[in-house]
Every structure is written in structure tokens, then in C-alpha cells.
Amino acid sequence: MPTNPQYINNSDAVDSTENVTVQAIAAATRTDRSFDAIADHFEKKVYGGLKGEIRLAVLRRDIFAYCAQTSLLLGRPLRILDVGAGLAQIGIELAAQGHTLVINDISANMLEKAQASAAQYDDDLKITWHVCPYQELEEKLADETEKFDLIMCHALLEWLAEPAAVMDFSDEQLTNNGALSLCFYNPASFDYRNLIMGNFNLLDNTEYKADNKKSLTPNHPVAKEEVEAWLQAHEYQTLIASGLRVFHDYSPLKRGGHNDPEAVIRMELRYSQLEPYKWLGRYLHLLATRGS
């Protein structure tokens, strides 16, 4: 568990009424984050280099295999919802594989970039686009008769004012045997990386907050233990647990295989599902399903 007080999860914060009250007040002042104003910066920073390639490689392996197996079992393409999709690379590729997608983001600029990417495919992709906070999707989907086989929430939880509410939303929108794909920033990685870099003053500063006007480091990430508790409470069973960038971000000196991007991705994939390395990932991916 991370030691920085700003990353203490809800289960650890109930030692006193005062702590609970402070946390509730802080949550009440937060709003869901939109990257509309920095869409270009987001695209370059997150997906403009090897970091983004590693992230997509792990998610493709985890999700594409699951979708192929489930589609074969059901005898039809899947119906998939990508919530807070951003550039929607995974969702667009799933649509290119023949699945039906509903893609959503709060940022019109981000979805405009995603639509431009989708337009590069020759196939007539089955994609419906919704620019809105995900909380408005229920109303927009009210006329739909079919629920979703898979809901993807990637790099979304850490930017929501009430991240746990995603679980109630998923319960309503998933089929009985549907799956939920949660990819989220790992707060333990913040401490670990700064320990390696020697940024002890930052870790000692309990008031530290990243400048989220430009920074893509979230100030309110959710610990994996908390996400796992949500899944358990909502009766989901985790099928896949992976770490994204389990070593790449912790290597200030690039030597040997670090200079070969293909080798880095190969090793990231190898260690992304191995204990204990996967829990060091800058992001974590949990794919969970619920029974009927």
C-alpha cells in the first residue's frame, strides 16, 4: 500500500469521524475531469511514444482474446460500451473486428480525434458516438433494447469525482454474464517511482498536488484494494489482472534491451501478469465478469 497520505483509500480512512468528514468534503468539491482543453497534449503525452504502445499492447492482449472467445461462445459479435474512451483506440479496433460499439467521452475534442481515426478504416464500422458525461448515457441509451456484453472504463476512475458510481452504472448496463474492463492509475506506482528517483521531499510533502491544468498525473487515484472491494461487493469475479508499464517508467538509465522498443514491449507483456511485478504497473487492468 502507498504511504503518502493523499493516497490512503476509503477503507483506511475510517479511523475517525473527522477523517471521514474531511474526505467527504474534499470529494464534494471535485468534478469529473475533461481533457477537452488539452486534447493535443493528451494525445502526444499519452500515446506519442513507447509508453502508449506498451499500454495498448497489454490491453489488446487482455481484451481481444476475451472478446474473441466470448463472441465464439455466443455465436455473434459483441455489444460493447467504451466509457470515457478518449482516443478510443481499443474500441475502434474492436469495431473493426466486427463488434458493435457505443463510444463515449465528456470531451468533444477527444472524440473528434477518435472519429478521425475510425474514418481511416475502409470497413463501415458499427459505432455510435455520444459526447457527454457518462452519467447521461443512461438516458441516451433508454431506447436500446439490448444491454452490453462488455463495458470498458480505461483511465477514467482517477478522473471522476465519484469513481465508485461506475459500478452501479455497470450493473444496470451489462448483460447478466457481461464483463467489466477497468484500467486505472496505480497510486502505489507514484510512491515507488519517486522513491527510485530520490524525490523524497515530494513524498514528505503531504500537501502535494499535481497541476492538473496540464499534468496527467491524477491527484485522486483509487488503490487496487478499493477497486477489488467494489468488484467483490458487486459480485464480480476477476478473470484477468495485468500491470501496464511494470518496469519501463522506473528505468532512468536506458541500457541494453531498453534501447529496443520491440524488446521492451515483449518483456512488459511477459511480466505484466506475473507476481509480484504486475502490481508495480503504472496502470492496472482488471477484467471481471459477473454471473447470472
Side-chain angles (χ1 to χ4, degrees), residues 156-232:
L156 176 66
L157 297 181
E158 56 268 28
W159 302 111
L160 295 176
E162 299 179 356
V166 163
M167 298 303 303
D168 290 331
F169 172 83
S170 298
D171 286 348
E172 291 296 321
Q173 297 298 328
L174 275 177
T175 61
N176 287 338
N177 293 299
L180 179 60
S181 171
L182 297 175
C183 180
F184 53 98
Y185 183 88
N186 180 12
S189 73
F190 177 91
D191 287 355
Y192 190 54
R193 187 171 189 271
N194 281 290
L195 286 169
I196 291 173
M197 301 298 290
N199 296 330
F200 301 156
N201 289 338
L202 185 152
L203 292 172
D204 285 338
N205 179 7
T206 59
E207 302 300 320
Y208 171 79
K209 298 290 182 183
D211 179 5
N212 279 166
K213 290 182 179 179
K214 292 184 177 181
S215 174
L216 298 178
T217 299
N219 285 314
H220 304 286
V222 184
K224 81 174 182 69
E225 292 83 0
E226 189 167 1
V227 177
E228 289 172 335
W230 297 346
L231 291 171
Q232 183 177 8

Side-chain angles (χ1 to χ4, degrees), residues 14-150:
V14 293
D15 292 337
S16 69
T17 302
E18 180 180 357
N19 284 343
V20 174
T21 302
V22 169
Q23 196 170 61
I25 293 173
T29 63
R30 301 205 303 267
T31 59
D32 293 355
R33 174 72 188 275
S34 171
F35 293 103
D36 207 52
I38 59 169
D40 291 335
H41 175 69
F42 179 96
E43 183 177 30
K44 180 179 179 181
K45 185 73 172 179
V46 177
Y47 292 107
L50 186 54
K51 288 182 179 181
E53 293 178 24
I54 295 168
R55 177 169 167 170
L56 291 174
V58 175
L59 290 175
R60 285 180 180 123
R61 179 201 58 197
D62 291 358
I63 295 171
F64 290 0
Y66 171 80
C67 288
Q69 293 170 4
T70 304
S71 180
L72 183 62
L73 181 65
L74 296 176
R76 60 169 174 79
L78 302 186
R79 181 168 162 78
I80 301 170
L81 172 60
D82 195 353
V83 178
L87 300 176
Q89 294 98 324
I90 298 296
I92 293 169
E93 291 179 30
L94 286 168
Q97 294 172 18
H99 303 293
T100 299
L101 269 290
V102 173
I103 296 179
N104 152 263
D105 199 88
I106 195 173
S107 166
N109 288 338
M110 294 293 284
L111 279 198
E112 183 178 350
K113 290 179 176 293
Q115 289 171 323
S117 296
Q120 297 175 18
Y121 286 82
D122 294 332
D123 298 332
D124 185 15
L125 304 184
K126 296 179 180 178
I127 300 178
T128 301
W129 307 87
H130 288 298
V131 180
C132 64
Y134 89 89
Q135 296 89 339
E136 296 179 8
L137 279 176
E138 184 174 359
E139 180 178 351
K140 293 181 179 295
L141 298 171
D143 294 334
E144 301 285 347
T145 58
E146 297 178 285
K147 294 191 176 183
F148 295 95
D149 302 298
L150 172 67

